[in-house]
Amino acid sequence: MDEEHLLVEETRKLIEGCLQGNRLSQNLLYNLYSKKMFLVCVRLAKNREEAEEILQVGFVRVFEFMHHYKFSGSFAGWIRQIIVNCALRKFKSKGQLHGLTRIDPTVLDTIWNESIISKLVDKDL
């Protein structure tokens, strides 16, 4: 068996254990995915403490809603989506999300129509 297939089988067993309330399975599942998900949190957060908070809240939700996972698609992707949603919910509640700024389309046309080559100096060519 290849390594990816073993990980899928191991994850399936851990999920089933978590669904039965097995604390060891929860701990092992957390250890298996927390480092990768922490990297996602670090990209979304403004500091380490905020990233850690997002990770913890995210995994609480993972365990709370694990019964919704249908074993189709990547489990890591499913967790990642929960983590991202937790981050978005956190930022929205703090008013840190801002609407998009409206940009005048004529300005964009001007930018796109300018030739990059015309901006280069002879020595750059």
Side-chain angles (χ1 to χ4, degrees), residues 53-117:
E53 182 182 341
I54 292 167
L55 181 71
Q56 296 306 316
V57 170
F59 267 96
V60 167
R61 294 191 63 81
V62 165
F63 293 124
E64 183 180 354
F65 293 102
M66 190 170 287
H67 62 280
H68 289 290
Y69 180 66
K70 302 297 181 202
F71 295 95
S72 62
S74 162
F75 186 66
W78 185 78
I79 294 176
R80 185 179 307 108
Q81 187 62 50
I82 290 174
I83 297 289
V84 168
N85 286 342
C86 285
L88 291 174
R89 194 174 298 111
K90 177 179 179 53
F91 300 143
K92 185 176 181 181
S93 71
K94 286 188 170 185
Q96 293 176 334
L97 286 179
H98 304 287
L100 294 174
T101 304
R102 182 150 173 84
I103 299 174
D104 183 4
T106 58
V107 173
L108 285 178
D109 290 340
T110 304
I111 293 169
W112 286 114
N113 289 332
E114 288 181 6
S115 171
I116 293 174
I117 294 176

Side-chain angles (χ1 to χ4, degrees), residues 27-68:
N27 187 38
L28 291 171
L29 190 93
Y30 177 84
N31 289 336
L32 185 62
Y33 288 99
S34 62
K35 289 178 186 172
K36 185 186 292 188
M37 294 306 138
F38 184 67
L39 293 175
V40 173
C41 294
V42 166
R43 288 186 203 137
L44 298 170
K46 64 181 175 186
N47 57 45
R48 182 181 180 88
E49 292 78 26
E50 191 172 73
E52 289 171 352
E53 182 182 341
I54 292 167
L55 181 71
Q56 296 306 316
V57 170
F59 267 96
V60 167
R61 294 191 63 81
V62 165
F63 293 124
E64 183 180 354
F65 293 102
M66 190 170 287
H67 62 280
H68 289 290

